Amino acid sequence: MAYAITRTCCNDASCVSVCPVNCIHPTPGEPDFGTTDMLYIDPAACIDCGACADACPVDAVFPVDRLTGPDTVFGDLNRDYYRDHPNDHAWGEPAFPRSLPNGLGLGTPRIAIVGTGPSASYTAQSLLRTTGAELTMIDRLPVAGGLLRHGVAPDHQSTKRIAESFASVFRHPRLTVHLNVEVGRDLTHDELAAHHHAVVYAVGAAADRRLGLPGEDLPGSLPATTLVGWYNADPTVPADAVDLSAERVVVIGNGNVAVDVARILLLDPDRLAATDIADHALAALRGSRVREVVLLARRGPEEAAWTRPEFLALQHLPGVELVVEDRPGVRAAIEAAAPGSKAALLAGLPLEPAGLGDPPRPGRRIVLRFHSTPTALTGEDRVTGVETGPERIAAGLVVRSIGYRGVPVPGLPFDEDAAAVPHRDGRVLDPATGRPLPGTYVVGWAKRGPSGGIGANRACAQETVDAFLDDAAAGLLSRPAGTGKEFARLVRSRRPDAVGLKELRAIDRTERARGEASGRPRVKLATVPDLLAAARR
């Protein structure tokens, strides 16, 4: 019986490299790699060896005959992909890991990586495997993980398992970390460059896109970044940042983050109690009055922004009804939908007038509202609704989920239009000359904008690492004036409360012990003082 990839697919292609018959696609280098919802196994070519399941870092691969419940659909999805994308599974030219040539006159290369999220970890993993470099990882928070810790929904514990593949990075003897240290506040780019042969920025996209509408700044109007950080114990988000006293919540947007928000707000808190959700969020959800979440989309069903795996999970929430508001053009779009399209996923869901101007009806439900552009948020002291042209949706909480946005890093160029660092193959470019800044690189969302999931950072990181290797071989890197020990002293002088590897492990032990006591994977510490206190134990 063939294997199938299911909804937790991370797209990092670990499975591709171990498949003996090359039946997993798209592969890195194929045109649609990084743009498809997930990877797929061809059941006609699969030899049932199980190598992909063993290699998968997020437990997304299972024999088709073992799929149960809502996951049974993934057997069909894997098969149908090859109906639309026929492939002869011929092997391409093999790609071998590159390494840093000897005799370059660099001594032992020292590389700083700003950030500790997935893109930073993939970069560090590649550099540690292919070079003898000494790495320094720096993060503004006192704990590592980036969006893997503070962005992945708590009920997606299997997705978070990819952190286990990075565990060896944080145990490596050639790695030093300085957490609770912010570049641009505590250290400058020039200071990093003066102590390292190269600096790689993996700072993500920390801000949110704004609507630019009247009422957007009223209390009760939140960016999704705040709500996601709130339920994931991001120490920069206060425990009281989210008020769940309203019966209806409007989420503007219908991408995967919007789907996550809707699911978490309506999921039975008892199911979340076994996850690493923030304690304050779990308590708030237990007392929540939210019964209805409206996902508001400007475009039609065929252009929905969610991925199919995430939407399929939304259809199977116990006790939650999923309905589509019957608006002009929606029914016709669903009926005319091509097989396998996003609009086709809506076939069979109730199509009904939603009555969004009135209080929600009894029960819990998610309403999909298409062809609806918000024009204003209403209310005086607090949000009371969303206007969409002549219509008004009554709501006590509005979450805008229209995308993340990168923020400038002091000392680095920044493209305001793209909301990312200008680069060529990962080399940061001087906007005045269009030439690469020596020894300065970028990776992840800061490089390509906020697109692609966790696994997409693997290929992105490799491109940046290859650029570094080429520059090192070409003699384009300068020997730093300062030493590693001098840099460590500089960090301690600026941030006496900086967190190192020993302290990071103490935080991890504390959170795991708290989790073990309550039957959870971990109980996160949700404030900077609590994290620093655990670090000192």
Side-chain angles (χ1 to χ4, degrees), residues 57-82:
V58 294
D59 291 342
V61 186
F62 297 93
V64 172
D65 61 354
R66 285 181 49 198
L67 298 178
T68 59
D71 283 344
T72 56
V73 69
F74 287 98
D76 295 333
L77 288 179
N78 279 250
R79 183 196 65 232
D80 292 347
Y81 175 82
Y82 292 95

Side-chain angles (χ1 to χ4, degrees), residues 287-323:
S288 171
R289 297 185 63 214
V290 176
R291 293 190 287 111
E292 183 175 277
V293 177
V294 180
L295 295 181
L296 205 65
R298 291 185 297 109
R299 295 180 289 184
E302 64 280 1
E303 298 171 298
W306 58 61
T307 60
R308 286 188 295 176
E310 288 299 321
F311 180 75
L312 288 170
L314 201 64
Q315 291 181 288
H316 298 279
L317 293 184
V320 179
E321 183 184 16
L322 181 63
V323 304

